Amino acid sequence: MSMDLKGANRTRNEESEQSIRQASQHARRKRGVVLWVARIGAGALFLGGWQVLAMTKTLDPFFYGEPSLIWQSLVTLFTKGTAFGSIWVDIGVTLQEAVYGFFLGSITGGLLGLVLGQNVFLSEVLGPYIKILNAVPRIILGSIFVVAFGLGQFPKVLLAAVLVFFIVFFNAFQGVREVDPNLAANVRVLGASPLQVARHVTIPSALTWIIASLHTAFGFAIIGALVGEVLGATRGIGLIITQAQGKLDPNTVFACMAIMAVITLGAEFLITLLEKRVLSWRPPNRSEISAGL
């Protein structure tokens, strides 16, 4: 009799857990549908409003373009190419410059931030110089790089790396400073060497800050590559933008911006996947819990 009651209770508990799981999955799917409908609706409202304002001349299409003409420019770019050849070559050049600059700036900024974050004396020595360098306008650095290294890809990579460097550096530095000192002290008491403390406590803690900064950093890498191409280049999306600007063609400028926005969204998706994989040990934060992720 007792065994029968236990079996019945176990069955009821399993059915209850299954119903809760199904309700949770249904709520998550429903939230995802509502979210995408809201996103598409917001985009359609923005573009529709822009189109109406441009057609009624409330917004001068000579300066602000027109969504329907921007779409035509996109079709022309991808079907007929540009004055310099296929648009895919220009996209590849800009993307290559941005990716190289992103990795160069992320690696150097992350490493230097980790080193200075753990060494108070070194950070106090180099801190003022880093702040001075951070205050230098990037457009001036871009001009210097173009004059020094020519119109090739290298000055664009350098400019993109500089923009990324300071974002990642300050986040890595702050991430190290935010490490729980009691946790680090306990690990040292247990006999861990400085290298083991850095490997098992400091770096995993700082990774949260570093990877969070990468979401912003890739956008800045794109900006650095584009600005470098606007200052002087033989291929790239920035060159197309400069040419369109010279022809007073805002629709092609906006079309190029749309292309780079799509690329940035793709990179953001990849960085989010990296974040979930690298920080899988981290407990979900409040927003992730509320989203049911």
Side-chain angles (χ1 to χ4, degrees):
M1 184 68 179
S2 174
M3 294 294 291
D4 292 341
L5 284 175
K6 287 182 180 178
N9 288 332
R10 190 182 303 115
T11 304
R12 277 198 296 272
N13 289 335
E14 289 174 354
E15 290 175 353
S16 176
E17 289 176 3
Q18 187 177 1
S19 62
I20 291 173
R21 197 179 304 117
Q22 288 175 346
S24 175
Q25 289 174 350
H26 176 71
R28 195 180 307 168
R29 281 197 296 270
K30 185 178 178 182
R31 184 182 184 278
V33 170
V34 171
L35 190 63
W36 277 106
V37 168
R39 284 173 176 170
I40 294 172
L45 183 65
F46 174 75
L47 292 176
W50 185 1
Q51 180 72 32
V52 170
L53 291 174
M55 291 176 68
T56 57
K57 306 298 182 187
T58 306
L59 273 181
D60 192 342
F62 181 79
F63 297 107
Y64 301 104
E66 192 173 326
S68 60
L69 297 180
I70 293 171
W71 174 253
Q72 288 181 13
S73 295
L74 276 171
V75 173
T76 303
L77 286 174
F78 281 99
T79 55
K80 298 181 179 177
T82 68
F84 311 102
S86 171
I87 184 69
W88 292 106
V89 176
D90 296 292
I91 292 174
V93 169
T94 302
L95 186 59
Q96 197 175 38
E97 293 164 353
V99 169
Y100 286 167
F102 173 75
F103 280 109
L104 182 61
S106 299
I107 292 171
T108 54
L111 287 177
L112 192 62
L114 290 174
V115 171
L116 295 191
Q118 295 181 87
N119 192 316
V120 176
F121 177 76
L122 201 58
S123 67
E124 289 179 351
V125 171
L126 298 179
Y129 297 104
I130 291 174
K131 290 176 182 176
I132 290 172
L133 289 174
N134 187 38
V136 175
R138 308 296 187 266
I139 189 73
I140 294 176
L141 282 179
S143 301
I144 293 173
F145 291 157
V146 169
V147 171
F149 302 109
L151 299 180
Q153 284 188 308
F154 187 61
K156 288 81 175 178
V157 172
L158 274 184
L159 185 58
V162 169
L163 288 174
V164 171
F165 171 85
F166 288 102
I167 297 172
V168 179
F169 167 78
F170 286 116
N171 274 274
F173 182 81
Q174 191 61 34
V176 174
R177 292 298 174 92
E178 292 291 331
V179 172
D180 185 355
N182 294 325
L183 178 61
N186 289 337
V187 174
R188 289 193 193 93
V189 168
L190 293 174
S193 66
L195 186 61
Q196 289 173 320
V197 173
R199 181 182 173 188
H200 296 290
V201 178
T202 307
I203 293 177
S205 177
L207 269 180
T208 307
W209 288 72
I210 293 173
I211 293 182
S213 71
L214 298 184
H215 292 282
T216 310
F218 190 81
F220 276 86
I222 290 285
I223 292 171
L226 288 176
V227 170
E229 289 171 353
V230 168
L231 292 173
T234 55
R235 293 303 297 260
I237 297 295
L239 181 62
I240 300 174
I241 291 175
T242 306
Q243 188 194 40
Q245 187 182 16
K247 292 180 179 178
L248 302 178
D249 180 9
N251 296 308
T252 302
V253 174
F254 280 115
C256 292
M257 290 170 60
I259 292 170
M260 300 317 299
V262 170
I263 292 174
T264 306
L265 280 177
E268 165 71 17
F269 175 73
L270 294 177
I271 292 171
T272 302
L273 290 181
L274 173 71
E275 182 178 24
K276 287 181 179 177
R277 184 172 182 81
V278 175
L279 301 180
S280 57
W281 52 269
R282 185 194 63 177
N285 56 38
R286 189 178 302 171
S287 62
E288 290 171 341
I289 293 173
S290 63
L293 299 176

